[in-house]
Amino acid sequence: MKKKDVKKISSNMEDYLEVIALLKHKRGIVKVTDISQMMRVKKPSVTGALNMLSRYNLVVHEPYGYVELTLEGAKIARETQKRHNLLTKFLGEVLKIDLRIAEQDACKIEHSISTQTFEKLTKFIKFVETCPEGTRPQWLKSFDQYYETGCRFNCKTHIVKSKK
Amino acid sequence: MKKKDVKKISSNMEDYLEVIALLKHKRGIVKVTDISQMMRVKKPSVTGALNMLSRYNLVVHEPYGYVELTLEGAKIARETQKRHNLLTKFLGEVLKIDLRIAEQDACKIEHSISTQTFEKLTKFIKFVETCPEGTRPQWLKSFDQYYETGCRFNCKTHIVKSKK
DNA sequence: AATTTTTGTTAGGATTGGCTAACAAAAGTT
DNA sequence: AACTTTTGTTAGCCAATCCTAACAAAAATT
């Protein structure tokens, strides 16, 4: 099956898969009620979503039984979570957005970013995290200050000074 | 009317408003066919969307007439475009994502970012653009290299070297 | 002015996704 | 075992979007 033939599922379905994976991980079993609570939708909506996910072969779900992800479903869930975590990290750690808001934004943006953006951003965060200067690179601290005060210290000047 | 009372419109409606504003700006008048082409939907879909936007008082549209944005509609369109441009800039100029892809991503993400993220990112870009080192700050060049080669030159070392 | 072409609307249908009310099944209690 | 509570499904409804086919209005042509 070529890439072009893979029917893309909706953001919504991605969200369901993500939640199912999370519950599976946290509790071992996945029940309609739990999904319902976590997704903040009523139970019939969950039943409906599960039917659709079953049609796409992304979950296995016998009526009144537990919910299981298929391999394909688990894969999509993992990928979605990866995007989610990446974005949360970028917004939270790099930009220092409030965690709650970073989470909310990540939750929505996660369905929209291209592979290329995902990869660039991954590298970018790695670039920030592996900075030899310590936890937070100088230039980012400089940005923090710029954001707070509207002023900036010149990177070069600063470093030269610190060597005195 | 308090903020909480403002009924939020869908991403879709935001897109229509954005396109209408764009056409208004480019051609002076806005016709169903143009919207249809730019949105890549059929004309009946446009008629439908315009009816909905009219109900929300975001456009004025007499049957068979031109389309006009109301003040409120224009405001939403402007804000959406601002988010769009910001994201395109960030992805394109900072991360150097291919322009086409940056555009596509921006187009989707623009509907999802919080005010806080918008503002932080705005400052971030300003921080990058007003860098005293020239067009592209040293740390970003360093990232470019890191992305290309997987290796990084130490910022301090580099600067010290360049002073010899 | 009559005809043709273009443009826009209506009517009717599909899909996704959510809801309530009512019922059925499973689990827990006495 | 019988009853109650919890859990899950079905049925039926609504809204947002999109579509096609058919029609109506406006614009352009002859």
Side-chain angles (χ1 to χ4, degrees):
Chain A
M1 183 154 61
K2 276 176 291 182
K3 253 192 183 174
K4 304 231 168 181
D5 300 337
V6 176
K7 215 198 295 179
K8 261 207 66 189
I9 66 170
S10 66
S11 311
N12 219 326
M13 291 301 107
E14 271 182 15
D15 277 332
Y16 275 104
L17 290 175
E18 212 182 342
V19 160
I20 291 166
L22 216 90
L23 286 166
K24 177 77 185 177
H25 182 253
K26 281 213 173 140
R27 317 215 179 158
I29 58 173
V30 183
K31 292 187 292 181
V32 169
T33 302
D34 301 332
I35 302 175
S36 159
Q37 280 175 2
M38 194 164 280
M39 293 279 297
R40 296 162 171 280
V41 297
K42 302 298 174 188
K43 287 183 287 184
S45 307
V46 175
T47 304
L50 290 176
N51 288 339
M52 191 174 306
L53 289 169
S54 293
R55 282 213 328 266
Y56 283 81
N57 281 308
L58 300 173
V59 304
V60 177
H61 178 232
E62 307 286 299
Y64 299 99
Y66 298 141
V67 178
E68 296 284 350
L69 292 172
T70 63
L71 283 182
E72 179 62 13
K75 188 178 154 223
I76 294 178
R78 264 196 312 278
E79 283 164 359
T80 307
Q81 278 177 325
K82 264 163 67 179
R83 287 196 298 273
H84 180 107
N85 294 338
L86 177 77
L87 289 163
T88 306
K89 214 167 186 178
F90 174 72
L91 296 173
E93 292 180 14
V94 178
L95 292 190
K96 289 196 170 166
I97 306 288
D98 297 346
L99 202 58
R100 282 287 292 281
I101 304 214
E103 267 293 333
Q104 280 171 24
D105 282 11
C107 221
K108 288 187 270 174
I109 301 172
E110 71 188 14
H111 306 293
S112 316
I113 65 168
S114 59
T115 308
Q116 202 187 342
T117 297
F118 175 79
E119 279 163 8
K120 269 274 185 174
L121 218 45
T122 302
K123 283 279 175 121
F124 189 74
I125 286 175
K126 204 173 168 199
F127 175 72
V128 169
E129 284 179 337
T130 62
C131 174
E133 294 153 73
T135 30
R136 195 167 178 80
Q138 195 54 54
W139 59 267
L140 251 184
K141 286 186 192 159
S142 177
F143 170 62
D144 295 339
Q145 190 214 283
Y146 179 74
Y147 185 76
E148 291 301 328
T149 67
C151 302
R152 62 192 305 152
F153 39 71
N154 180 304
C155 180
K156 289 189 188 185
T157 312
H158 174 81
I159 286 169
V160 171
K161 263 187 192 161
S162 76
K163 283 193 154 254
K164 280 201 277 203
Chain B
M1 187 152 59
K2 276 175 292 181
K3 254 193 183 175
K4 302 232 168 179
D5 300 337
V6 176
K7 216 197 292 178
K8 262 206 66 190
I9 66 170
S10 68
S11 310
N12 218 325
M13 291 300 107
E14 271 182 15
D15 277 332
Y16 275 105
L17 290 175
E18 212 181 342
V19 161
I20 291 166
L22 216 91
L23 286 167
K24 177 75 185 178
H25 181 254
K26 282 213 174 136
R27 316 212 180 159
I29 59 173
V30 183
K31 291 187 292 180
V32 168
T33 302
D34 301 332
I35 301 174
S36 159
Q37 280 175 1
M38 193 163 281
M39 293 277 299
R40 296 160 171 281
V41 298
K42 301 298 174 188
K43 287 184 288 183
S45 307
V46 175
T47 304
L50 290 177
N51 289 339
M52 192 173 307
L53 289 169
S54 293
R55 282 213 327 267
Y56 283 82
N57 280 307
L58 300 173
V59 303
V60 177
H61 178 231
E62 308 285 299
Y64 298 100
Y66 298 140
V67 179
E68 296 285 351
L69 292 172
T70 63
L71 283 182
E72 179 63 14
K75 188 179 153 220
I76 295 177
R78 265 195 312 277
E79 283 164 1
T80 307
Q81 277 176 327
K82 264 163 65 179
R83 288 195 298 272
H84 180 105
N85 294 338
L86 176 77
L87 289 163
T88 306
K89 214 166 188 179
F90 174 72
L91 296 172
E93 292 181 14
V94 178
L95 292 190
K96 290 195 170 165
I97 305 289
D98 296 347
L99 202 58
R100 281 289 291 281
I101 305 214
E103 268 293 333
Q104 280 170 24
D105 282 10
C107 221
K108 287 188 270 174
I109 301 173
E110 71 188 13
H111 306 294
S112 315
I113 66 167
S114 59
T115 308
Q116 201 185 342
T117 298
F118 175 79
E119 280 163 8
K120 269 275 184 175
L121 218 46
T122 303
K123 282 280 174 118
F124 190 74
I125 286 175
K126 203 173 168 199
F127 175 73
V128 168
E129 284 180 338
T130 62
C131 174
E133 292 154 75
T135 30
R136 194 168 179 79
Q138 195 53 54
W139 60 267
L140 251 184
K141 286 187 191 158
S142 177
F143 170 62
D144 295 340
Q145 191 214 284
Y146 180 74
Y147 185 76
E148 291 302 327
T149 67
C151 301
R152 61 191 307 150
F153 38 71
N154 180 303
C155 180
K156 288 188 190 184
T157 314
H158 175 80
I159 286 169
V160 170
K161 266 186 191 162
S162 74
K163 283 192 154 254
K164 280 201 277 205

